[in-house]
């Protein structure tokens, strides 16, 4: 997550050592920082490999804006990117809370 944040805020060169630390644990070679897009792709690949069975993939795809293209054929719709706010909570808020879009 730190590497992703660094890359997205313009400090991708600082993200490379963090990604390489993860890669080094399993004996993979280092990657060098080229540009933000290249580092973003490397981070996506590492998160998919490292967190493969930990239930993070859906949230990564939603955060990256890739959910519709990857999960769309499996029935995903944009409505799924937000959880609905329970109606009793909206009622209790006195109109302050507004239901998430598409719910």
């Amino acid at each position: 997550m730190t590497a992703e944040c660094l890359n997205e805020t313009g400090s991708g060169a600082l993200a490379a050592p963090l990604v390489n630390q993860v890669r080094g644990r399993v004996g993979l070679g280092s990657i060098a920082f080229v540009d933000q897009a290249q580092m973003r792709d490397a981070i996506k690949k590492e998160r998919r490999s490292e967190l493969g069975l930990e239930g993070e993939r859906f949230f990564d795809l939603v955060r990256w804006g890739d959910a519709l293209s990857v999960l769309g054929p499996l029935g995903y719709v944009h409505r799924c990117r937000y959880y609905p706010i329970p109606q009793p909570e909206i009622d209790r808020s006195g109109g302050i809370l507004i239901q998430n879009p598409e719910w």
Side-chain angles (χ1 to χ4, degrees):
M1 293 297 291
T2 301
E4 184 178 343
C5 291
L6 287 169
N7 189 56
E8 296 305 316
T9 57
S11 300
L14 298 175
L18 297 173
V19 173
N20 289 330
Q21 183 179 5
V22 172
R23 293 174 59 83
R25 283 196 328 239
V26 292
L28 296 175
S30 297
I31 59 167
F33 175 76
V34 176
D35 60 25
Q36 187 181 43
Q38 170 264 345
M39 185 55 63
R40 183 180 299 123
D41 290 341
I43 291 168
K44 286 180 178 184
K45 182 179 178 197
E46 291 307 316
R47 283 190 61 83
R48 183 174 186 183
S49 299
E50 183 75 13
L51 304 173
L53 298 174
E54 296 185 17
E56 297 294 324
R57 180 99 170 121
F58 173 79
F59 300 104
D60 285 346
L61 291 172
V62 170
R63 185 176 66 252
W64 297 327
D66 295 340
L68 190 60
S69 62
V70 174
L71 301 175
L74 302 173
Y76 172 86
V77 292
H78 270 310
R79 161 185 177 165
C80 299
R81 69 184 180 268
Y82 302 118
Y83 289 112
I85 299 172
Q87 190 60 48
E89 298 304 319
I90 293 172
D91 296 341
R92 274 185 274 232
S93 76
I96 294 173
L97 289 177
I98 300 170
Q99 187 58 269
N100 283 324
E102 301 172 16
W103 283 98

